Amino acid sequence: MTEWREFRPEQKLLNSNFDGYRLTLEPLAQYSLKFDNNIHVQKDIELGNDLYSYNSIKGFKSLNQLYINSWKPNNNDLYYFDQMHSIQQVDLTSNQSFSHLQQPTIVYQLSNTTLYGSMIFISDSLVFVCDGRSKLSVLNTNNPKWKLLHDEDFDEYLTSPIRLIHAVSCEGYLHAIIGFIQAECQLLWATFSIGSSSEIKLIRRRILNGKKWPDFVAIESNGQSVYVAAEGLYTFKYDSLIEVKKEEPPKEPVVEKIESSYHYIWSQTHNMIEIEIDITTSESQQWCVNIESNHLKCSVDDDILIDAKLFGNIDPKESSYVITKDKSNQLTITLQKSNIGSFWSEVFKEGKSMSGDIKMNGLPETNNTDETDELKQPYNSQQLEECDQYANDTDVYLSRFDGDTHAVTHQALINNQILFTKLNPPSLCIRHDVDGLIWHINSITSNDQLPWTHEATLNAFGYVQASKQNRKFLSTPTDYSYALISDSRIHLYIYKQNTPTSNLPGTSLRNRKTGKVVDSIAKQHMISLENHNEILGLITTNEQTFILTDDQLFIISV
């Protein structure tokens, strides 16, 4: 059974008193390495007309082409693919001062059929490398020249370019997920075993399907489940070890018709539902109306006219009914909506009810455009033909799939914008009001464990990134001391979260309005690169930011 979870921020991590960033002209140390003329970063993937679609552009364009092995402490060596399908290494560990940087060296050569390489480090000595066409390789990185441990060709499953999305190593097993596009977007989850003689063997394949390319995919560190954030819902389609059982579609709730001489007419406004029943006789009758939060029951004498579940929730305390015995002879039931502004396409969705019609001229008339905008469907859904029905696939869901049962164990609707994602550790930065909240994805080992937790807040980052129309990369280091936005070319914007004012020369800093001493301030740095080529890759660490262009590497000490 799917457990719905909301993104509830930790209040202690929110700063309601944050008053913005101060633009500073303090210089940051910068270094650069100009590559030799014959060394260039790999070209962007060329998409044919049959693949030039929303999903392909989202999945294969504007990828981060700079890599770092974060499993090695105090190691800042960087890697990238060049145009000759080689993996180049920039040695930064042996020269921590960055004063005399050496030219990149080749650590591994891929085949000439490589389309667009991607890699993910899964330990201090292992890396997954994808050739962009059909091959996934496992390499050992202990030596200056990387050693091939295993090659797997998925050619029989693939008909389009592929991209390595995530990979982990856990207790003698290696897991990798590659994404590709066929009739739908597909995620191929491959599991490898490592034998006693270090022999690597593919033992399991699993495939998930969805309509839109995912915004985020991450395998749990224990290899038990996978998280997917995407527009619309993904589902398991194939498992080479365990049969994927097709889910029985849930039975559509129906309203059983009660044969009666009575008839109701209903209408709605932005905040209430009104049901009218004509009392056509002058004889004495015993009417009984019972109103609950999601259920309505109405009867006359011993005859039940309505006993059904309502389309939406209501507030019973604010709801009422009245019987008028004059010229109209009418029973009027007024239901107060719990979700003010929501639209009801019908009154009842399950149970028993006499026949009724919508009062077309009873639609809300109000001068408040905000309220009327909420009512976007002024019709009864029962009047639609099958071809008129539609589903909203634009909602973004974060779902946790169990790798064995194939069921969605946890799920949440992401109402706000995903600003960026990271894989080590797996996390999402989601906009919350003006801030950017960092949510860590957890490996669940007990029933009471949360699938995601609010780890940190980037103050006002949701606001500042919205003004950067030419933004390409957004990132933050593991200590969240700053956030960074890069344009597609030239400009970088660094937002330091807190800098102690004790480091500032002169007297103590005070707020001019309140007179309160300010202990720390947030700073903004704007940096212009000397190279005007497109920014192809970006890595942020706690001390440095690394920027890759076609023929040059920039280092900024933060």
Side-chain angles (χ1 to χ4, degrees):
M1 181 178 178
T2 303
E3 180 180 349
W4 280 89
R5 288 277 184 175
E6 296 180 356
F7 289 94
R8 294 186 178 180
E10 291 284 350
Q11 294 301 316
K12 63 182 180 181
L13 295 179
L14 301 178
N15 183 5
S16 59
N17 297 320
F18 182 75
D19 58 356
Y21 295 94
R22 305 291 187 268
L23 181 63
T24 177
L25 299 179
E26 296 175 10
L28 298 177
Q30 297 186 39
Y31 310 89
S32 67
L33 173 62
K34 181 75 172 179
F35 303 150
D36 289 340
N37 292 333
N38 61 336
I39 300 178
H40 294 275
V41 180
Q42 68 179 350
K43 291 183 178 179
D44 200 2
I45 189 171
E46 296 291 337
L47 298 173
N49 292 333
D50 57 333
L51 286 176
Y52 205 80
S53 63
Y54 169 83
N55 283 326
S56 298
I57 293 173
K58 184 177 180 180
F60 296 99
K61 292 289 186 179
S62 302
L63 301 183
N64 194 339
Q65 298 195 45
L66 191 59
Y67 303 90
I68 188 171
N69 189 351
S70 56
W71 295 97
K72 290 185 176 181
N74 304 319
N75 185 303
N76 283 335
D77 290 347
L78 302 174
Y79 305 89
Y80 66 90
F81 294 87
D82 66 15
Q83 289 189 3
M84 304 305 294
H85 312 308
S86 303
I87 298 178
Q88 297 275 2
Q89 177 189 30
V90 181
D91 182 5
L92 300 179
T93 305
S94 61
N95 187 354
Q96 294 288 358
S97 65
F98 308 130
S99 55
H100 297 87
L101 297 175
Q102 302 298 317
Q103 286 292 316
T105 57
I106 297 176
V107 294
Y108 188 76
Q109 179 66 53
L110 281 75
S111 68
N112 291 332
T113 59
T114 298
L115 179 63
Y116 193 66
S118 55
M119 73 174 90
I120 293 179
F121 291 92
I122 55 176
S123 72
D124 57 354
S125 61
L126 292 178
V127 62
F128 268 111
V129 175
C130 177
D131 71 350
R133 289 194 183 276
S134 61
K135 286 186 178 181
L136 186 64
S137 305
V138 183
L139 306 177
N140 185 299
T141 64
N142 278 334
N143 299 317
K145 296 296 183 180
W146 293 356
K147 179 183 177 182
L148 176 65
L149 301 179
H150 182 78
D151 237 352
E152 192 70 40
D153 196 333
F154 296 99
D155 183 59
E156 60 179 299
Y157 301 97
L158 310 175
T159 59
S160 70
I162 65 175
R163 170 189 163 191
L164 180 61
I165 299 179
H166 194 219
V168 298
S169 172
C170 175
E171 298 178 350
Y173 295 94
L174 308 178
H175 300 268
I177 288 187
I178 59 177
F180 58 99
I181 302 170
Q182 293 183 330
E184 298 179 308
C185 293
Q186 295 193 346
L187 303 177
L188 173 58
W189 179 358
T191 301
F192 302 84
S193 64
I194 303 178
S196 56
S197 58
S198 298
E199 179 187 4
I200 297 176
K201 183 180 179 181
L202 177 66
I203 60 171
R204 191 173 186 180
R205 298 182 304 274
R206 284 166 279 194
I207 294 178
L208 294 89
N209 280 15
K211 292 184 178 180
K212 299 292 183 65
W213 185 270
D215 297 284
F216 172 81
V217 177
I219 308 170
E220 281 187 343
S221 58
N222 56 21
Q224 297 299 313
S225 301
V226 62
Y227 289 85
V228 179
E231 293 182 40
L233 297 174
Y234 269 68
T235 56
F236 261 98
K237 291 298 182 182
Y238 173 76
D239 189 333
S240 60
L241 290 186
I242 303 175
E243 180 185 1
V244 177
K245 297 181 180 179
K246 292 184 178 180
E247 293 185 6
E248 293 293 333
K251 294 183 179 180
E252 290 291 333
V254 295
V255 178
E256 182 181 341
K257 186 177 179 181
I258 295 177
E259 296 293 338
S260 173
S261 59
Y262 292 98
H263 186 85
Y264 73 84
I265 296 177
W266 72 281
S267 61
Q268 69 176 309
T269 65
H270 74 287
N271 63 346
M272 67 177 58
I273 299 290
E274 188 174 83
I275 302 172
E276 300 174 352
I277 304 174
D278 288 336
I279 302 174
T280 56
T281 178
S282 58
E283 298 178 2
S284 176
Q285 296 171 313
Q286 184 66 38
W287 286 86
C288 181
V289 178
N290 183 27
I291 302 174
E292 299 178 3
S293 60
N294 64 350
H295 192 274
L296 177 65
K297 186 173 182 179
C298 175
S299 62
V300 55
D301 295 332
D302 294 329
D303 296 330
I304 296 177
L305 303 180
I306 299 172
D307 187 2
K309 188 175 182 180
L310 295 168
F311 181 84
N313 288 338
I314 63 167
D315 184 352
K317 294 181 180 179
E318 298 296 327
S319 303
S320 61
Y321 71 95
V322 60
I323 299 175
T324 56
K325 292 188 176 181
D326 50 19
K327 294 182 179 180
S328 60
N329 284 336
Q330 191 175 77
L331 167 65
T332 302
I333 304 172
T334 303
L335 308 176
Q336 179 72 33
K337 295 179 181 177
S338 294
N339 186 10
I340 295 177
S342 62
F343 176 81
W344 289 26
S345 57
E346 52 196 34
V347 187
F348 310 111
K349 63 179 180 181
E350 189 174 9
K352 299 179 180 180
S353 172
M354 60 185 172
S355 61
D357 290 311
I358 187 171
K359 187 176 181 180
M360 298 305 294
N361 61 357
L363 292 175
E365 294 182 4
T366 174
N367 294 327
N368 190 332
T369 57
D370 291 338
E371 295 175 350
T372 57
D373 286 344
E374 294 292 335
L375 301 175
K376 299 179 180 179
Q377 295 177 296
Y379 52 80
N380 188 335
S381 65
Q382 296 176 345
Q383 298 172 344
L384 295 177
E385 299 292 339
E386 183 178 357
C387 62
D388 296 321
Q389 302 286 350
Y390 69 96
N392 185 5
D393 292 330
T394 60
D395 288 336
V396 179
Y397 296 90
L398 176 60
S399 307
R400 178 184 181 268
F401 293 87
D402 187 280
D404 292 330
T405 66
H406 313 129
V408 177
T409 61
H410 298 79
Q411 195 166 71
L413 178 64
I414 303 179
N415 293 309
N416 298 322
Q417 176 187 8
I418 299 177
L419 301 180
F420 62 88
T421 63
K422 295 178 73 71
L423 292 180
N424 196 10
S427 53
L428 301 93
C429 181
I430 301 177
R431 180 165 182 172
H432 175 77
D433 198 5
V434 298
D435 298 328
L437 306 190
I438 303 295
W439 294 88
H440 270 200
I441 302 302
N442 302 321
S443 294
I444 296 181
T445 57
S446 60
N447 294 333
D448 58 348
Q449 189 174 358
L450 297 176
W452 40 79
T453 51
H454 180 196
E455 186 71 16
T457 298
L458 302 178
N459 294 312
F461 192 64
Y463 174 78
V464 297
Q465 65 84 32
S467 65
K468 305 297 185 289
Q469 297 299 316
N470 200 29
R471 63 186 180 274
K472 184 173 183 180
F473 293 114
L474 293 81
S475 187
T476 186
T478 54
D479 65 356
Y480 312 112
S481 58
Y482 67 94
L484 185 145
I485 302 173
S486 84
D487 286 347
S488 58
R489 302 173 188 268
I490 307 176
H491 294 122
L492 300 172
Y493 306 91
I494 297 176
Y495 299 91
K496 291 186 177 180
Q497 297 302 292
N498 284 295
T499 301
T501 56
S502 57
N503 296 337
L504 300 176
T507 59
S508 60
L509 189 65
R510 294 180 179 272
N511 187 301
R512 287 187 296 179
K513 293 183 178 180
T514 64
K516 183 179 179 180
V517 176
V518 179
D519 297 326
S520 62
I521 60 173
K523 295 181 179 181
Q524 174 191 351
H525 294 264
M526 189 181 77
I527 299 171
S528 297
L529 302 177
E530 63 182 35
N531 187 328
H532 290 188
N533 292 338
E534 182 181 2
I535 297 175
L536 300 177
L538 184 143
I539 295 289
T540 53
T541 66
N542 297 343
E543 293 81 22
Q544 288 91 25
T545 291
F546 306 97
I547 304 100
L548 179 70
T549 64
D550 173 64
D551 58 358
Q552 196 166 358
L553 176 71
F554 294 90
I555 304 172
I556 300 173
S557 293
V558 182

